């Protein structure tokens, strides 16, 4: 459409140059601009969480607790968890990539409720700032799980403020969830039936369902803890007649599904990228689509696997264990289907594809170790050890963050109109992969040997493994900083992308890069199946060849 | 996209509203009455009270909230909330009800 | 700008009015689902403790006034009816009746709050507010009785908060309708407020038997 115009350097209208005052950003209701606001905010919070992680790894270099006191160590790992989970992992993909892409992919001019969308960013920022304020004014030391009675009766840290922050952030994701659900139901372009939707949309739909059904429960639960703390009531405090295990039930009713809030959107990204760079239709499209929904439903039935050793009934434990094995099935279906998609594909090893391949390997490890933990007997040995820490980092860092980076690179040309530099991006992907494994593989061994989580003293003989882990973390840090620089650099200096640099299918590639304010010149009409790479890729490559080849240069 | 027919201009006649209202009041009296039944029927009483409450809620949802006249999508979402609530109740209470099936040494 | 009902304002992201209306309704229902789960967490808490402490909860609940609870239930049920009438008249575009029934609904909501206030006051006088001054006979049941009243105040308090928000929203709507503001020309704002209001009513439909009518 507009490639030629853009190439000659004329300024085309797009969402980025639609206004350049600060207010035009702060009061925008354009989903794409809100996505950019979120991109900046989650990146900042990721940096905060990353610095805290660095402190943890520095402390653990030596067996003695020499860098900080135990109290401060408690604060550091708690705040690392709170920031990373509530302020980065949960919003990252939905609020940045989802916000940007959901309307584009369904062929709509915006989300159903643009003002609600903007409100969600403000609520998120309010929550984030309150949590930050709590951090600098004494911090929190309860662990990200806020277990009472420690959180309600004993901790002297800023529990209440942090809870208020988390509460607000929860509502911001509820707003996003409501918006996605309504948009996906009601605003699909003509011809875009459910089974023509990109799998990214299915994944975000499932994520939104979890957000809407789960988040309120954790909100009220945390609120009860705060009330209990402020008014000295005994809702969960056994000394006052309450039951702390009930808190755990309610907390994990949300927080297990919440791990799927973090991973499902990443799975959506993987489906898009794997199809594009294998030049094939996603194998078993329907299975992948329905597995997202299955995860959203079954994910709500397994929370008790976090409570095997807490005094929960043995029978409940057995049921929860069984159901946990069940939830691994739809995840496995996805992995098999992605792998089958690559089989005999024309694979292009672009940076996003490297992240996808990293994702596949790491997610398999993370998921399988989840099954170890979901077995009643093994979990008694592994509960609250570094094995658990390694398990969830394999999924949340190896899965979600890899997915996020894959998506960020894949759609960067769409968001900014510029290509990122391919060579250094690949290098960064490799560094991140190496650094990640060096950091977290030793932690499986440590956990198996009995290293408990949340301690900063440990026996001398484990130092070697801890040093490896810390070294890996440093490498990982470098890997994460690189994209900040080259992506910013590309904003001015990257090659012009053109509408469809990858020759990808999907409505978002049918409009300009960056898109105009209301996305499409005219409402698109969809006539074909998703991922029709096999029928179309030749024509499309011709059409977009210019963009792709500049990228290569 | 939209499935065509605009359901929300469906205007429910006032008579229907009044009937539902009367039914709600009757059910309310029934709940209070049931609570004063002579004798100890804790379980029975609880079941009666909750059944009546559910019926009342369903009446409100179907008529006052127009779900009866709404699209399938509205049906879906209205029931999803209650379905998930059941998941939460059943699995949580499942733990509490089965805790004492296996005696734990040193407890109690 | 006095126009027929059909001249609703269409936001840029929608294709037509039907799509826009349906989107708002579905959006509101999705929000109500989050409200269901929000209260659901409290109900689950209550159920677990009630099952575990049937006797003491029964004793404690005798300090609640069934007549007042019954009266308030009637008030809320009636307010649901009047709200439904408000929607009915707004769908028919009859402004006067719409305003009238909206005001009646607000009056009923305020009645509910006043009665609730009396109940709370009574609990205060009796020393049944959880905390340092909590008193309960027999003393060995004090801990669990306090648990009951903590939950009582948490649940009815959160519900009352929702009533207050409802009153505020209705006040705004009433003013907008009174000045014939274009944003309330169609029935969607009223319909959405109505959905919210009926939800608040449903919560009370469950709270009343659960808190006030505990069988021995
Ligand atoms: C294949 C499906 C999965 C299974 C069967 C599984 C199983 C488990 C189990 C049993 C635990 C509890 C370990 C313990 O505390 O002893 C656990 C912890 C955890 N899992 Fe998974 N998991 C799965 C997928 C995921 C995913 C997809 C994520 C994140 C995106 C995740 C994140 C976590 C986190 C954060 C914890 C630790 C929570 C804490 O105590 O702080 N898991 N997992
Ligand atoms: Cu879990």
């Amino acid at each position: 459409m507009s490639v030629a115009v853009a190439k000659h350097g004329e300024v085309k209208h797009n969402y980025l140059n639609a206004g350049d005052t600060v207010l035009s950003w702060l009061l925008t209701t354009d989903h794409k601009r809100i996505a950019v606001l979120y991109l900046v905010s989650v990146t900042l919070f990721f940096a905060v969480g990353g610095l805290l992680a660095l402190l943890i790894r520095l402390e653990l270099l030596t067996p003695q607790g020499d860098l900080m006191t135990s109290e401060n160590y408690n604060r550091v790992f708690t705040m690392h968890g709170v920031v990373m989970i509530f302020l980065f992992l949960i919003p990252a993909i939905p609020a940045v990539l989802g916000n940007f892409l959901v309307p584009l992919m369904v062929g709509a001019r915006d989300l159903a409720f643009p003002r609600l969308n903007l409100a969600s960013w403000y609520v998120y920022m309010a929550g984030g700032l309150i949590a930050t304020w709590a951090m600098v004014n004494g911090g929190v030391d309860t662990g990200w799980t806020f277990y009472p009675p420690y959180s309600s009766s004993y901790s002297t840290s800023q529990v209440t403020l942090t809870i208020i922050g988390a509460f607000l952030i929860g509502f911001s994701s509820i707003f996003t969830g409501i918006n996605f659900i309504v948009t996906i139901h009601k605003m699909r372009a003509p011809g875009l039936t459910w089974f023509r939707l990109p799998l990214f949309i299915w994944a975000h739909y499932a994520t939104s369902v979890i957000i809407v059904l789960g988040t309120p429960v954790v909100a009220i639960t945390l609120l009860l803890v705060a009330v209990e703390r402020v008014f000295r009531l005994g809702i969960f405090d056994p000394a006052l007649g309450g039951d702390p295990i009930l808190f755990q039930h309610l907390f994990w009713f949300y927080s297990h599904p919440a791990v799927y809030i973090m991973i499902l959107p990443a799975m959506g990204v993987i489906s898009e990228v794997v199809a594009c760079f294998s030049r094939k239709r996603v194998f078993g499209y329907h299975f992948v689509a329905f597995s997202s929904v299955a995860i959203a439903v079954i994910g709500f039935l397994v929370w008790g696997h976090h409570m095997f050793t807490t005094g929960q009934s043995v029978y409940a434990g057995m049921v929860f264990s069984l159901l946990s094995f069940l939830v691994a099935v739809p995840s496995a279906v996805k992995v098999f289907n992605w792998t089958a998609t690559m089989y005999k594909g024309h694979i292009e090893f672009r940076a996003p594809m490297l992240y996808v391949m990293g994702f596949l390997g790491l997610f398999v490890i993370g998921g399988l170790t989840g099954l170890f933990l979901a077995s009643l007997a093994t979990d008694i040995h592994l509960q609250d050890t570094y094995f658990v820490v390694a398990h969830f980092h394999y999924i949340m860092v190896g899965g979600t963050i890899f997915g996020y980076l894959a998506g960020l690179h894949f759609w960067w040309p769409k968001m900014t109109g510029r290509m990122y530099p391919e060579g250094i991006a690949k290098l960064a992907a490799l560094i991140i992969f190496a650094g990640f494994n060096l950091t977290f593989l030793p932690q499986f061994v440590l956990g198996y040997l009995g290293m408990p989580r949340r301690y900063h003293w440990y026996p001398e003989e484990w130092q070697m493994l801890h040093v490896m882990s810390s070294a890996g973390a440093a490498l990982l840090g470098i890997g994460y900083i690189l994209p900040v620089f080259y992506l910013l650099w590309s904003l001015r200096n990257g090659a012009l992308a053109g509408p469809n640099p990858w020759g990808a299918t999907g409505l978002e590639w049918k409009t300009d890069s960056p898109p105009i304010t209301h996305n499409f010149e005219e409402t698109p009409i969809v006539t074909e199946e998703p991922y029709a790479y096999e029928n179309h890729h030749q024509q499309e490559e011709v059409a977009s060849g210019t963009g792709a080849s500049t990228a290569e240069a | 996209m939209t499935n065509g027919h605009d359901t929300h201009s469906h205007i429910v006649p006032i008579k229907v509203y009044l009937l539902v209202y009367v039914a709600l009041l009757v059910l309310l009296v029934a709940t209070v009455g049931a609570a004063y039944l002579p004798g100890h029927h804790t379980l029975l009483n609880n079941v009666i009270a909750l059944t009546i409450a559910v019926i009342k809620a369903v009446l409100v949802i179907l008529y006052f909230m127009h779900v009866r006249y709404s699209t399938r999508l509205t049906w879906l979402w209205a029931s999803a909330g209650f379905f998930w609530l059941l998941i939460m109740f059943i699995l949580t209470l499942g733990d509490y009800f089965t805790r004492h099936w296996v005696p734990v040494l040193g407890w109690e | 700008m006095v126009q027929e009902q059909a001249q609703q304002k269409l936001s840029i992201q929608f294709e037509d009015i039907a799509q826009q209306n349906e989107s708002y309704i579905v959006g509101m229902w999705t929000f109500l689902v989050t409200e269901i789960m929000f209260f659901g967490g409290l109900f689950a808490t209550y159920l677990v403790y009630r099952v575990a402490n049937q006797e003491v909860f029964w004793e404690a609940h005798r300090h609640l006034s069934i007549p007042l609870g019954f009266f308030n239930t009637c008030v809320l049920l009636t307010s649901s009816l009047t709200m439904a009438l408000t929607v009915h008249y707004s769908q028919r575009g009859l402004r006067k009746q719409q305003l009238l029934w909206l005001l009646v609904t607000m009056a009923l909501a305020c009645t509910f709050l006043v009665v609730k206030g009396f109940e709370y006051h009574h609990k205060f006088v009796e020393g049944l507010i959880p905390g340092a001054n909590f008193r309960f006979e027999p003393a060995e049941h004090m801990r669990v009785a306090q648990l009951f009243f903590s939950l009582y105040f948490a649940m009815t308090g959160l519900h009352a908060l929702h009533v207050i928000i409802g009153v505020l929203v209705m006040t705004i709507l009433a003013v907008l309708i009174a000045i014939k503001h274009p944003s309330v020309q169609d029935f969607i704002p009223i319909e959405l407020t109505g959905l919210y209001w009926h939800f608040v009513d449903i919560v009370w439909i469950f709270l009343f038997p659960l808190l006030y009518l505990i069988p021995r």
Side-chain angles (χ1 to χ4, degrees), chain C:
Chain C
M1 266 283 289
V2 188
Q3 275 168 340
E4 276 303 304
Q5 262 225 289
Q7 302 297 298
Q8 239 173 289
K9 190 163 164 288
L10 182 64
S11 303
I12 170 85
Q13 70 272 24
F14 295 112
E15 297 288 331
D16 54 41
I17 293 288
Q19 185 194 27
Q20 173 169 322
N21 286 354
E22 170 87 359
S23 294
Y24 278 117
I25 305 262
V26 175
M28 189 64 195
W29 265 106
T30 319
F31 171 72
L32 290 183
V33 167
T34 70
E35 287 274 35
I36 293 174
M37 299 309 289
F38 194 63
F39 275 97
L42 265 180
F43 278 100
T45 311
Y46 177 80
L47 284 181
V48 166
Y49 289 145
R50 161 119 168 232
V51 168
N53 308 294
Q54 174 68 29
E55 266 309 299
V56 185
F57 270 38
W58 177 79
E59 256 173 43
H61 107 288
R62 295 203 298 168
H63 293 263
L64 304 182
S65 156
I66 296 183
L68 285 185
F70 179 79
F71 175 76
N72 251 352
T73 315
C74 291
V75 169
L76 269 197
L77 289 178
T78 314
S79 78
S80 253
L81 173 70
T82 57
M83 191 70 209
L85 293 179
T86 314
V87 174
H88 174 91
Y89 286 115
S90 88
Q91 283 175 321
R92 287 171 54 186
L94 300 173
R95 206 174 59 89
K96 287 245 173 59
Q97 286 91 327
Q98 185 187 340
L99 193 57
L100 174 75
W101 288 112
L102 189 61
L103 290 175
V104 174
T105 312
M106 284 164 60
L108 288 166
C110 292
T111 313
F112 177 89
L113 286 173
V114 171
V115 173
K116 203 79 225 143
F118 277 118
E119 286 189 73
Y120 281 0
H121 177 72
H122 196 209
K123 299 288 155 321
F124 180 76
V125 174
E126 279 193 81
L128 291 172
I129 306 282
N133 298 320
F134 187 81
R135 296 281 164 274
F136 194 81
E137 293 293 326
E140 71 262 29
H141 290 162
M142 194 156 111
R143 266 187 358 172
V144 176
Q146 178 164 341
L147 186 61
F148 174 81
F149 279 102
S150 301
L151 289 169
Y152 167 79
F153 280 107
M155 294 167 95
T156 58
L158 192 67
H159 178 261
L161 182 70
H162 279 76
V163 175
I164 293 173
I165 293 172
V167 172
L168 292 180
V169 174
M170 284 189 256
T171 312
I172 297 172
L173 276 183
V175 171
L176 291 179
I177 295 171
I179 65 171
K180 302 186 184 172
H181 193 274
S183 64
V184 287
Q185 254 178 19
D186 64 293
F187 72 103
I188 285 291
I190 304 274
E191 166 85 10
L192 297 185
T193 315
L195 287 176
Y196 171 83
W197 191 250
H198 299 308
F199 166 77
V200 173
D201 187 25
I202 290 176
V203 172
W204 186 260
I205 286 178
F206 284 96
L207 282 181
F208 176 61
L210 280 177
L211 292 171
Y212 288 77
L213 303 176
I214 300 181
R216 178 104 201 219

Side-chain angles (χ1 to χ4, degrees), chain A residues 252 255-256 259 302-303 305-306:
Chain A
W252 291 112
S255 293
H256 179 81
V259 307
V302 305
W303 77 79
H305 65 216
H306 294 272

Side-chain angles (χ1 to χ4, degrees), chain A residues 9 24 47 58 84 99 145 212 222 288 340 347 364 369-370 405 430-431 442 450 483:
Chain A
S24 77
L58 267 180
M84 283 304 197
N99 241 334
T145 45
V212 162
L222 292 181
V288 181
I347 298 181
V364 166
T369 51
L405 288 173
L430 292 177
I431 293 178

Side-chain angles (χ1 to χ4, degrees), chain A residues 404-422:
Chain A
Y404 176 62
L405 288 173
L408 198 62
H409 285 83
F410 187 63
W411 284 291
W412 187 256
K414 183 51 62 182
M415 297 174 80
T416 65
R418 303 275 181 168
M419 301 302 296
Y420 61 83
E422 188 68 45

